[in-house]
Amino acid sequence: MTLTDQHEDADRLPTLDALGRRRVLVIAVAVIVVLAVGAAIGMLITTARTGAGPGGSAAPDAESIDVGFSQDMRVHHFQAITMAGIARDKTTDPEVHSIAFDIESTQLAQAGAMAGWLNVWGQAELPAAGKGYMAWMAGSGHQHSGAVLESGGVSTMPGMATTEELNKLKTLSGKELDIYFLQLMLRHHQGALPMAQYAASHAGVGYVRNLAAKMVASQSNEAGLMTKMLAARGAVPLPAPN
C-alpha cells in the first residue's frame, strides 16, 4: 500500500465527532425501542387482565389514582432516566456506572409499561399542561411545599432536580460528578416514594398497585445503597424533599 493509499484510507475513517454522534444516535434509538416494547407489553397485560380498551367501562377514568399516578410517575421517571444517562456516560466509577445503568434500565421499562396502560385506558401519556401534579393524592394527607394550583395539583413533584441542578450535573466529572449524581438521585427517589406508596395502597387496578409496590421496594433499596455510597465517598445526602 502506498503512502497516498494510506492517506486516502485515513480520510475515509470516521472522526471522533462522528463516532460520538453515532453513539448518541444508537443510545437514542435504544431508548425509543425500550419505551415502545414496554408500552406494548403494558398494553397487552392491561387488555388481557381487564378487557379494557379505550373508553371501556373497566378502564380507570382521568381523575383516578391509577391514571394520575401513571402520568405523574412517567414524568418523574423521565428525569431519573436523564440523570442516570448522564452519569452512565461520564462516570469512571464502576459502582456509580452500575447503579446508574440499573436505574435507567428499570425506569425506562416502567415508563413504557405505564404508557401502555394509559393508551389502553384512552388517556394521555402525560399530565395535561397547567393541571399540575399529584392531585390524585388529595386524600393522602401528604404535605408538599410546592405551589398548589387551582386544580388541586402542585407545580413541582417532590425530589425533582431543577434546571440549574441538571445543567450543573452535565458540567461535572470525576468524583464531583459521582457525588452530585448520587445526591440528586437519592433525593429524587425520596420524593417518588410517597407517590408509589400511596398508589400501592390505593390504586383501583391490581397491576398498578403491583408495579407501584415494586417501585417502593426497588427505590428503597437503591436509596439505602446510594446513602452508603455517598458515605464511602466522604459526602452526605441533600436535604430530603418535603
Side-chain angles (χ1 to χ4, degrees):
M1 179 182 290
T2 67
L3 187 59
T4 300
D5 291 335
Q6 291 175 350
H7 282 306
E8 289 176 350
D9 285 345
D11 289 340
R12 287 193 290 269
L13 291 174
T15 65
L16 289 176
D17 285 344
L19 287 171
R21 288 193 295 271
R22 289 181 188 176
R23 186 163 181 265
V24 170
L25 178 60
V26 168
I27 292 171
V29 170
V31 168
I32 293 170
V33 169
V34 171
L35 285 172
V37 170
I41 293 172
M43 291 176 70
L44 288 172
I45 291 173
T46 306
T47 304
R49 291 184 179 178
T50 69
S57 59
D61 63 39
E63 304 305 317
S64 66
I65 292 171
D66 305 80
V67 170
F69 166 73
S70 300
Q71 291 174 333
D72 287 359
M73 191 57 79
R74 290 189 79 240
V75 175
H76 215 274
H77 271 24
F78 284 145
Q79 188 179 85
I81 291 163
T82 297
M83 294 193 296
I86 293 169
R88 173 182 50 77
D89 282 347
K90 297 185 67 177
T91 187
T92 57
D93 185 319
E95 284 188 305
V96 174
H97 184 278
S98 177
I99 195 168
F101 178 82
D102 288 347
I103 291 170
E104 183 181 29
S105 303
T106 299
Q107 298 206 13
L108 268 171
Q110 292 174 347
M114 289 184 286
W117 301 344
L118 290 162
N119 276 303
V120 171
W121 298 337
Q123 303 295 334
E125 293 183 8
L126 297 172
K131 179 181 178 181
Y133 306 103
M134 299 171 66
W136 50 277
M137 288 182 67
S140 68
H142 178 73
Q143 299 297 316
H144 176 49
S145 59
V148 179
L149 307 177
E150 289 184 11
S151 65
V154 294
S155 57
T156 306
M157 285 181 282
M160 296 288 279
T162 65
T163 300
E164 291 74 21
E165 288 171 334
L166 289 175
N167 288 338
K168 178 181 176 180
L169 180 65
K170 293 174 185 177
T171 67
L172 299 178
S173 60
K175 188 176 179 180
E176 283 186 313
L177 166 75
D178 299 332
I179 288 174
Y180 198 53
F181 163 71
L182 292 170
Q183 289 174 328
L184 291 180
M185 190 62 79
L186 173 57
R187 187 184 66 185
H188 200 269
H189 275 24
Q190 291 170 334
L193 278 170
M195 299 166 61
Q197 289 166 339
Y198 189 74
S201 298
H202 296 90
V205 180
Y207 52 81
V208 178
R209 295 194 300 272
N210 182 54
L211 182 61
K214 288 180 179 179
M215 289 180 191
V216 172
S218 65
Q219 294 197 30
S220 295
N221 289 336
E222 289 167 351
L225 176 58
M226 287 187 286
T227 301
K228 293 178 181 177
M229 291 173 69
L230 282 168
R233 289 158 179 78
V236 296
L238 298 173
N242 51 26

